[in-house]
Amino acid sequence: MKIAILSCFYPYRGGISQFNACLYGELSKNHIVKAFNFKRQYPEFLFPGKTQYVTADDEAVPIESVSLLDTANPFTYVTTLKAIREWEPDLLVIRYWMSYFAPSLGFIARHMKKRCTVISILDNVVPHEQRFFDKPFTKYFLKGSHAYVTLCNAVAEDLLELAPDAQYTVIQHPLYSHFGKRLGRDEAERKLGLESGMKNILFFGLIREYKGLDILIKAFKGLGPGYQLIIAGEPYGSFSQYRKLIDESGCQDRIHTFLHYVKDSEVKDFFSAADVSVLPYRSATQSGISSISYHFEVPMIVTDVGGMKETIGDRGTGMIANECTPEAVRDAIKKYFSDREISEKYKTAIRKEKELLSWETFCKKLIDFSFLFKNTKR
């Protein structure tokens, strides 16, 4: 089967691009696959991080792609559509995670719908940080696909609110397995300059308001001297509010910050040093961070929002904080470290989940689902 994937690939960096590289690699084992990439993903003034692109020291997978789509230039919508049409795919897979992309991706999906099966993988339907145009833009996009894949039930519920008749399936986010093997804890701590013999708490990933780092810093303030907090990731926006909380916490010497985009080869350092990964999100669907935690067999403490309970708590791979507050997160951390058997129970559950969350399984389910709509082409 000929499969076109329309989304971001190398030289763009980040979780979406990493996911797409893994998807491309696995689908290419049994199908003819072509990647259609952005020529410009965002105008620079809309991008809150330092750069959208891989740098010289990144180890991103260099997927071969055709870079055509400029989201800010409608003329490229037509150019991209023409290129995909001329390639004549049997299946077009589109990734959708933000309403900003709805006009460009929606235009192409609508015009390809009569020529091939169009399946969209939805990371989010309702954004974490909402704006007035999100719902109308997303509704426009959703009319272009035959069916949808969501990565958790919470996103499926959001989908049905905007498109009650939508055809969909839920396939859980596969594991990111390209970060290498876990290091010895002592080696990881030495590389990061951490004190040994401590209870290590990890906050990992892009730092955005909805991810609740401020909640974790406030929670950490009430923990004893045997704990240390590792914050690793690039801030999207100013870090000043978090720095102020750290400075006022009275435990600055036990809070270690690594405020940069963490390249692939560095990821293992942080997860190999961690006892637990904490995701104190104010809102969430699923999280790519949980897939990394699974890979390194690091249990998680998460808040009960979106799909976090479904993908972590219900599977027994981590602990749920009762509320999205510093007090609740602190209590969960204390409970986690109160008994070694708790972490071992979660690690056992993670090992079982890892067997189910392969890219081979994800792609097989995606292809099988797409065949249900093969005869809907006109």
Side-chain angles (χ1 to χ4, degrees):
M1 181 160 58
K2 293 179 70 176
I3 303 173
I5 306 175
L6 175 60
S7 190
C8 62
F9 292 89
Y10 183 94
Y12 295 102
R13 70 183 191 183
I16 300 292
S17 184
Q18 289 173 338
F19 184 110
N20 292 336
C22 294
L23 181 69
Y24 178 97
E26 185 60 40
L27 287 174
S28 296
K29 294 177 181 178
N30 298 299
H31 304 278
I32 301 169
V33 185
K34 189 166 185 175
F36 291 86
N37 202 351
F38 292 106
K39 181 161 62 175
R40 180 168 61 167
Q41 186 176 212
Y42 307 97
E44 289 297 329
F45 74 92
L46 291 178
F47 186 73
K50 291 182 180 179
T51 178
Q52 303 175 50
Y53 305 99
V54 299
T55 55
D57 58 349
D58 286 337
E59 296 91 5
V61 179
I63 297 297
E64 182 179 349
S65 66
V66 181
S67 299
L68 296 172
L69 184 60
D70 180 343
T71 56
N73 182 352
F75 291 106
T76 68
Y77 303 1
V78 177
T79 304
T80 307
L81 171 63
K82 182 180 178 183
I84 297 174
R85 276 181 172 175
E86 290 178 349
W87 194 65
E88 297 184 338
D90 302 297
L91 170 64
L92 171 61
V93 176
I94 299 176
R95 293 290 303 284
Y96 184 80
W97 68 97
M98 185 185 296
S99 61
Y100 171 79
F101 296 101
S104 57
L105 299 181
F107 174 87
I108 294 166
R110 285 166 174 244
H111 286 83
M112 285 300 300
K113 194 174 182 180
K114 293 183 179 180
R115 293 175 175 262
C116 71
T117 303
V118 180
I119 303 291
S120 291
I121 301 175
L122 306 176
D123 293 82
N124 300 301
V125 172
V126 179
H128 304 298
E129 299 159 347
Q130 297 184 35
R131 294 145 301 189
F132 72 93
F133 56 80
D134 288 328
K135 288 187 177 180
F137 274 31
T138 299
K139 285 182 178 180
Y140 170 81
F141 171 79
L142 292 175
K143 291 180 180 178
S145 300
H146 290 103
Y148 309 88
V149 171
T150 71
L151 305 178
C152 67
N153 285 319
V155 175
E157 292 170 4
D158 290 339
L159 168 64
L160 294 177
E161 282 191 18
L162 296 185
D165 297 328
Q167 301 292 314
Y168 74 93
T169 189
V170 179
I171 312 175
Q172 192 175 343
H173 196 306
L175 295 185
Y176 288 130
S177 56
H178 61 286
F179 295 117
K181 295 181 179 180
R182 186 182 178 97
L183 301 175
R185 182 188 177 100
D186 290 345
E187 180 184 354
E189 289 180 331
R190 282 197 303 271
K191 291 181 73 173
L192 297 175
L194 303 175
E195 184 178 348
S196 63
M198 304 280 278
K199 300 178 179 71
N200 292 339
I201 300 164
L202 175 64
F203 178 96
F204 187 89
L206 298 175
I207 300 170
R208 302 179 67 175
E209 194 275 336
Y210 77 85
K211 292 191 175 183
L213 176 58
D214 56 318
I215 294 171
L216 180 55
I217 296 171
K218 291 174 183 177
F220 185 80
K221 181 179 178 180
L223 296 173
Y227 297 83
Q228 60 186 345
L229 174 59
I230 307 159
I231 301 170
E234 180 183 355
Y236 266 29
S238 173
F239 191 75
S240 60
Q241 61 169 316
Y242 306 109
R243 180 61 64 191
K244 186 172 185 290
L245 289 173
I246 293 171
D247 292 342
E248 293 173 348
S249 69
C251 44
Q252 303 94 312
D253 59 328
R254 293 184 288 112
I255 300 178
H256 306 272
T257 57
F258 302 83
L259 304 180
H260 62 271
Y261 180 83
V262 180
K263 59 185 181 181
D264 288 0
S265 64
E266 296 175 320
V267 172
K268 62 179 177 294
D269 301 343
F270 295 99
F271 283 87
S272 298
D275 290 299
V276 66
S277 173
V278 180
L279 289 69
Y281 294 179
R282 289 184 168 87
S283 67
T285 45
Q286 66 287 318
S287 171
I289 306 304
S290 65
S291 295
I292 304 174
S293 291
Y294 279 179
H295 173 64
F296 290 104
E297 298 183 4
V298 176
M300 290 156 280
I301 296 173
V302 303
T303 45
D304 187 6
V305 295
M308 304 304 281
K309 184 176 185 297
E310 168 200 340
T311 56
I312 296 167
D314 291 351
R315 290 177 168 82
T317 56
M319 183 176 292
I320 306 296
N322 293 329
E323 297 177 322
C324 189
T325 63
E327 295 76 19
V329 172
R330 185 186 306 123
D331 288 346
I333 292 172
K334 287 181 176 178
K335 182 178 179 181
Y336 175 85
F337 285 104
S338 68
D339 187 343
R340 183 175 178 81
E341 289 187 6
I342 293 176
S343 65
E344 290 304 317
K345 178 185 70 174
Y346 293 147
K347 289 177 184 178
T348 298
I350 287 173
R351 293 181 191 114
K352 292 179 181 178
E353 281 295 301
K354 286 175 71 172
E355 298 175 5
L356 305 174
L357 298 178
S358 69
W359 286 96
E360 180 181 4
T361 297
F362 183 92
C363 290
K364 183 179 186 306
K365 289 181 177 179
L366 170 64
I367 296 301
D368 289 348
F369 181 62
S370 74
F371 281 140
L372 299 177
F373 304 93
K374 194 171 182 179
N375 295 327
T376 64
K377 296 181 292 181
R378 292 172 176 77

